[in-house]
Amino acid sequence: MLALGAAALPVQAQPAHPRAPVLVLNSLDGTVSVINATSWTETRRIATGKEPHHLYLTPDEKSVIVANAGGDSLTFIDPRTAEVQRTLRGILDPYHLRFSPDMKWFVTAANRLNHVDLYHWDGRDPELAKRIPTGRTPSHLWIDTRSTTVWASMQDSDELVAIDLATQQLAHRVKTGPMPADVFVTPDDRHLLLGLTGGDGVEVYDVAGGQAPALLRRIPTGKGAHAFRALGDRRHVLVSNRVANTISQIDYVDLKVVDGFPAPSGPDCMDVSADGSLIMVGSRWAGKLTLIDVARRRVVHQVKVGKSPHGVWTLDHAGRQ
């Protein structure tokens, strides 16, 4: 049964310092909901720009960047106070974004303009180095641990492409299943997982040594497999199944589903609490942030936010791999 009161949340000791807020991007409102992570209430909404979809922490951890795809801008927010720091304009269609692990590159996927942009990063402002035409509707990005390769999914041309950062050229292009979305690469850079929003599962590719992706298998998860989030134990990754209204837990060593959770109303992007006990997922069709207790495998609370909640993020999170 769905519990909507705060009393239904797992009992947690009071932290020694205030928990960082949870930020939820409302794509159709052009706002960010700021959620108090103790009371689980929305405290305010921040107007950012048109169509904020995803967000990412800067390498110095002093700002979280909200990418406003329709507004061609980036909004920098303090991850501890949720105060807006500044807005950077002139970044074309930043739908998805990532920093390279070596902190030298900032990369964006231009979802409506069909290109991936590579920027040099000096610690404050990105400087465009190369605009790379891709397939139709570049969706999600991943950068390998060595900061050599950008992986990007092409949602409407059913492709996965690899961009070599040294040469700033396309290195590989392969056909995939229908409507590929999020990308997750295992910490050893050996296997790439690709969610198929137009299908019912995850494709697994062998990408060891930077080689051309070779399809190894498909993992059935549920219809509309879309967004990944590591559970933080360096063994498991979650994938939201947006049509099936579930979240699947994949063992990325054995490459199989080992658990699952209900997730109502079009689950999309997720974050995981620092102790791994709570999944925070945007329910896009309901306009809510949904909290799922991992141990009890059930929804324990929902917070009303704006229209079409997409990116979800907090500084107090479990490990990303």
Side-chain angles (χ1 to χ4, degrees):
M1 182 173 177
L2 180 63
L4 297 181
L9 288 169
V11 176
Q12 297 175 338
Q14 289 298 311
H17 59 87
R19 291 190 182 95
V22 177
L23 304 180
V24 181
L25 276 57
N26 303 308
S27 295
L28 293 185
D29 285 349
T31 64
V32 173
S33 290
V34 181
I35 309 298
N36 183 296
T38 300
S39 65
W40 294 107
T41 56
E42 183 187 51
T43 60
R44 66 186 190 279
R45 289 186 194 175
I46 303 168
T48 56
K50 188 177 180 181
E51 294 183 33
H53 287 288
H54 298 98
L55 66 174
Y56 207 86
L57 188 67
T58 56
D60 63 8
E61 300 187 355
K62 293 181 179 179
S63 304
V64 61
I65 301 178
V66 174
N68 306 302
D72 295 337
S73 65
L74 305 174
T75 301
F76 290 68
I77 295 175
D78 187 312
R80 294 165 179 82
T81 66
E83 298 298 326
V84 174
Q85 298 166 323
R86 63 189 178 109
T87 298
L88 181 63
R89 305 191 185 280
I91 306 295
L92 293 184
D93 188 20
Y95 175 78
H96 200 253
L97 68 167
R98 271 196 178 272
F99 284 95
S100 60
D102 66 5
M103 306 181 187
K104 295 180 180 179
W105 295 95
F106 176 68
V107 183
T108 62
N111 191 256
R112 74 178 188 274
L113 298 178
N114 300 331
H115 60 76
V116 168
D117 284 345
L118 308 180
Y119 294 88
H120 293 302
W121 177 253
D122 65 0
R124 178 169 174 82
D125 292 328
E127 178 185 353
L128 184 64
K130 187 70 175 290
R131 177 160 292 150
I132 301 175
T134 58
R136 290 188 295 127
T137 323
S139 181
H140 288 68
L141 305 165
W142 191 277
I143 303 176
D144 70 329
T145 60
R146 297 170 298 152
S147 301
T148 61
T149 305
V150 178
W151 300 100
S153 60
M154 301 295 126
Q155 178 179 313
D156 290 331
S157 58
D158 299 341
E159 295 174 298
L160 174 69
V161 305
I163 299 169
D164 185 292
L165 281 172
T167 64
Q168 300 167 32
Q169 300 289 332
L170 281 175
H172 306 294
R173 182 190 295 272
V174 298
K175 292 295 290 184
T176 69
M179 292 183 66
D182 205 3
V183 181
F184 176 85
V185 178
T186 54
D188 58 5
D189 289 324
R190 180 181 176 188
H191 294 132
L192 182 149
L193 278 61
L194 184 66
L196 299 179
T197 304
D200 60 0
V202 169
E203 290 183 332
V204 181
Y205 291 86
D206 184 349
V207 294
Q211 64 188 21
L215 181 63
L216 289 178
R217 69 180 71 177
R218 295 179 175 88
I219 304 174
T221 60
K223 289 185 178 180
H226 188 75
F228 292 109
R229 175 59 168 90
L231 195 55
D233 60 359
R234 298 186 68 82
R235 178 82 191 218
H236 299 98
V237 64
L238 306 171
V239 62
S240 56
N241 305 304
R242 205 157 64 176
V243 178
N245 292 323
T246 60
I247 294 172
S248 298
Q249 180 176 327
I250 297 173
D251 181 323
Y252 61 66
V253 175
D254 293 337
L255 300 176
K256 63 181 182 181
V257 172
V258 294
D259 211 340
F261 310 88
S265 305
D268 203 299
C269 292
M270 301 169 277
D271 213 345
V272 177
S273 62
D275 62 3
S277 68
L278 202 64
I279 301 169
M280 298 158 270
V281 58
S283 293
R284 291 198 75 168
W285 317 141
K288 294 178 180 179
L289 174 69
T290 295
L291 307 181
I292 299 170
D293 184 291
V294 172
R296 291 188 284 174
R297 295 178 179 81
R298 69 182 183 94
V299 174
V300 291
H301 193 62
Q302 289 186 303
V303 184
K304 182 65 178 174
V305 292
K307 293 180 181 179
S308 193
H310 200 172
V312 176
W313 187 89
T314 181
L315 190 63
D316 294 334
H317 59 71
R320 299 293 186 193
Q321 289 188 320

